[in-house]
């Protein structure tokens, strides 16, 4: 474990592991199912993401934002296999990874969620919200959220209008 002496306020996550905050009940689907089936699954299960798995191993990841941006906005067929629109390769973490390392991975990769694997098999998901909710220092939580969100979002500095 690294020392937190230089910035003690940033050490609220030190020593905590991904397994301490991950969600184990992950909604999964086969990569061959249709985009529409995934949207229905998200609606029915009240989730914003689904891990695509084959033989228990994650092979793709799709979010409600992916559905909106790459399918609806592009006028794509909702009967396409979801694998055509999923994020791959899957950005993964291990359960024994320290949370601050997981947060740094999110920032580097520009993602808000990490798929948690053990020996290559899906065991959970950890999200930016999972990390932020465990931080007792509100300023640190805001900095963490801002860093990951900034890394995950394209530059929307230019205003656009819909005609």
């Amino acid at each position: 474990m690294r020392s937190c002496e230089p910035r003690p306020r940033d050490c609220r996550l030190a020593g905590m592991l991904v397994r301490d905050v991950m969600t184990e009940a992950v909604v999964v689907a086969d990569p061959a199912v249709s985009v529409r089936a995934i949207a229905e699954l998200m609606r029915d299960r009240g989730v914003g993401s689904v891990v695509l798995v084959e033989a228990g191993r994650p092979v793709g990841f799709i979010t409600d934002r992916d559905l909106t941006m790459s399918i609806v906005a592009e006028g794509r067929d909702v009967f396409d296999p979801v694998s055509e629109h999923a994020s791959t390769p899957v950005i993964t973490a291990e359960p024994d990874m320290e949370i601050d390392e997981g947060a740094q991975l999110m920032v580097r990769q520009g993602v808000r969620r990490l798929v948690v694997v053990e020996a290559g098999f899906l065991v959970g998901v950890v999200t930016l919200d999972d990390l932020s909710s465990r931080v007792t220092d509100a300023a640190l939580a805001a900095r963490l959220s801002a860093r990951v969100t900034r890394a995950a979002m394209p530059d929307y500095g230019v205003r656009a209008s819909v005609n």
Side-chain angles (χ1 to χ4, degrees):
M1 186 182 318
R2 65 184 171 91
S3 169
C4 293
E5 291 304 315
R7 297 182 310 174
R9 289 179 50 120
D10 290 346
C11 295
R12 307 278 185 191
L13 300 177
M16 289 187 73
L17 302 176
V18 165
R19 78 170 61 255
D20 299 329
V21 298
M22 74 181 190
T23 300
E24 293 179 27
V26 180
V27 177
V28 299
D30 186 281
V33 302
S34 72
V35 167
R36 183 179 178 132
I38 292 295
E40 291 170 351
L41 180 63
M42 286 181 182
R43 179 198 61 210
D44 295 346
R45 300 292 294 276
V47 297
S49 62
V50 174
V51 179
L52 306 179
V53 296
E54 289 181 338
R57 295 179 184 272
V59 295
F61 193 82
I62 187 99
T63 67
D64 49 5
R65 187 172 194 284
D66 295 331
L67 296 179
T68 302
M69 303 303 271
S70 76
I71 296 140
V72 175
E74 297 293 324
R76 303 288 300 267
D77 189 345
V78 296
F79 295 104
D80 284 350
V82 70
S83 60
E84 291 182 15
H85 304 283
S87 297
T88 58
V90 178
I91 308 302
T92 62
E94 300 219 357
D96 293 328
M97 177 184 280
E98 288 196 19
I99 290 178
D100 60 343
E101 186 180 348
Q104 290 171 17
L105 180 59
M106 286 179 177
V107 170
R108 278 194 315 273
Q109 296 294 326
V111 297
R112 299 173 56 91
R113 298 167 180 90
L114 298 173
V115 174
V116 184
V117 296
E118 194 163 33
F121 292 94
L122 175 67
V123 294
V125 170
V126 65
T127 69
L128 173 61
D129 291 341
D130 295 332
L131 300 182
S132 295
S133 68
R134 297 301 177 128
V135 178
T136 57
D137 181 328
L140 175 57
R143 284 195 309 274
L144 176 62
S145 180
R147 286 180 62 205
V148 173
T149 300
R150 190 169 34 255
M153 298 295 290
D155 185 10
Y156 288 115
V158 178
R159 287 189 176 211
S161 62
V162 177
N163 295 328

